[in-house]
Structures are given as structure tokens and as C-alpha cells.
């Protein structure tokens, strides 16, 4: 229980390796001292709070806002997802626009029904559309979570 708590605190901390090592050492001392004085590990954990609460208060003592790097990760991943979605939608739209590229053979004035069979059983543009949809949904979920967390 103690080891799991300490690992979770270490994971939650956005500090340098040296500072994390110091915090882990201090936590081990806190647990050892408390156990020597008759406290159980569960009582110590209840006193210290959740790993995230302890990590935030510890980071605050170091003068660091522990939530900033996490917010940056959310923003960066949301922006990347939106860019991927936009690019995928643009590629799909271009592929499905039906415009005959300049220099194409035939230059017919009307639509023709010529099909080229390839090795693929599926349409690649459909996969691009699916990637765009997945990226858009992922970005939307990220943004909703970020807004929800900011309201707290």
C-alpha cells in the first residue's frame, strides 16, 4: 500500500528527478516514523491525502504549479488532433471532388464511367475519412475534458 502510494505521488509530481528523489525519501521517512509510533500505513495515507493532493501541495512548496504541464499536454494533443482531422478531411474532400486534374487523359466534357481496378479491396479515401473522424472525436473529447476541469 505504501509503495503504491509513493509510486503514484512520484507519477503525479512534475518536478526534477532530484526533487522527486528527495520527496520519495521524505515520504519513506514519514511512513517509517509513523509506523514506529503505532500508526498504520492506511492512517498515514488518510492523513497525507490522495497522491494527487500530496503531489500538488509538495509542488506548491517547491514553488511550482503542478497542473501546468498537464494542461499543456492536453492543449498540444488537442491541437495536433484537430490539425490531423482537418488535413484528413481536406484530403478526403479533394479526392472526392471529382475534378479532372490538368493534363488528364481524355479531358471529357461529361462524366465518364471508367473504373480502375487495383490491388486494394477498400477505398483509401474512406480510411482517410475515418482517421479524420477519429482525430476530430478525440480532439473534441480532450477539449470538453479541459473545459470541464477548468470549471472545477
Amino acid at each position: 500500500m505504501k509503495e503504491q502510494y509513493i509510486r503514484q505521488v512520484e507519477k503525479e509530481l512534475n518536478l526534477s528527478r532530484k526533487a522527486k528523489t528527495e520527496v520519495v525519501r521524505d515520504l519513506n521517512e514519514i511512513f517509517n516514523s509513523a509506523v514506529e509510533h503505532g500508526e498504520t500505513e492506511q492512517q498515514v495515507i488518510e492523513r497525507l491525502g490522495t497522491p494527487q493532493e500530496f503531489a500538488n501541495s509538495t509542488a506548491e512548496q517547491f514553488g511550482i504549479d503542478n497542473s501546468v504541464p498537464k494542461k499543456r499536454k492536453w492543449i498540444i494533443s488537442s491541437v495536433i488532433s484537430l490539425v490531423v482531422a482537418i488535413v484528413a478531411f481536406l484530403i478526403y474532400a479533394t479526392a472526392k471532388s471529382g475534378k479532372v486534374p490538368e493534363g488528364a487523359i481524355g479531358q471529357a466534357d461529361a462524366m465518364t464511367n471508367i473504373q480502375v481496378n487495383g490491388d486494394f479491396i477498400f477505398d483509401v479515401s474512406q480510411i482517410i475519412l475515418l482517421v479524420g473522424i477519429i482525430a476530430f472525436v478525440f480532439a473534441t473529447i480532450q477539449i470538453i475534458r479541459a473545459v470541464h476541469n477548468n470549471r472545477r
Side-chain angles (χ1 to χ4, degrees):
M1 185 179 295
K2 166 183 130 179
E3 310 306 334
Q4 183 181 2
Y5 183 86
I6 292 173
R7 270 195 307 265
Q8 189 64 35
V9 167
E10 191 174 10
K11 181 180 169 189
E12 294 287 336
L13 281 172
N14 291 314
L15 300 174
S16 67
R17 186 175 292 164
K18 181 180 177 184
K20 279 185 182 184
T21 304
E22 185 179 320
V23 170
V24 168
R25 186 190 68 229
D26 291 346
L27 263 175
N28 276 313
E29 288 177 13
I30 290 170
F31 274 98
N32 292 337
S33 174
V35 169
E36 285 176 10
H37 290 92
E39 246 183 304
T40 66
E41 288 181 357
Q42 183 61 38
Q43 290 171 325
V44 176
I45 290 172
E46 288 173 8
R47 183 168 40 94
L48 295 175
T50 66
Q52 186 174 11
E53 291 170 345
F54 184 82
N56 289 342
S57 67
T58 302
E60 199 174 286
Q61 290 173 1
F62 280 92
I64 295 172
D65 183 1
N66 203 35
S67 63
V68 171
K70 290 179 185 176
K71 287 179 185 176
R72 278 192 215 134
K73 287 179 186 175
W74 282 99
I75 291 169
I76 291 170
S77 62
S78 297
V79 169
I80 289 172
S81 296
L82 281 175
V83 168
V84 167
I86 290 169
V87 168
F89 291 146
L90 288 174
I91 291 171
Y92 179 79
T94 303
K96 293 296 181 179
S97 68
K99 292 185 180 179
V100 178
E102 200 172 305
I105 298 174
Q107 293 294 319
D109 290 338
M111 289 288 267
T112 58
N113 191 12
I114 300 173
Q115 294 182 353
V116 178
N117 291 331
D119 291 340
F120 294 113
I121 298 173
F122 51 85
D123 186 7
V124 176
S125 64
Q126 302 254 331
I127 293 173
I128 292 172
L129 178 63
L130 181 63
V131 167
I133 291 170
I134 291 170
F136 181 77
V137 168
F138 180 75
T140 303
I141 291 170
Q142 297 257 59
I143 291 168
I144 290 170
R145 280 184 176 172
V147 169
H148 181 71
N149 288 339
N150 284 340
R151 287 186 180 172
R152 288 186 199 172

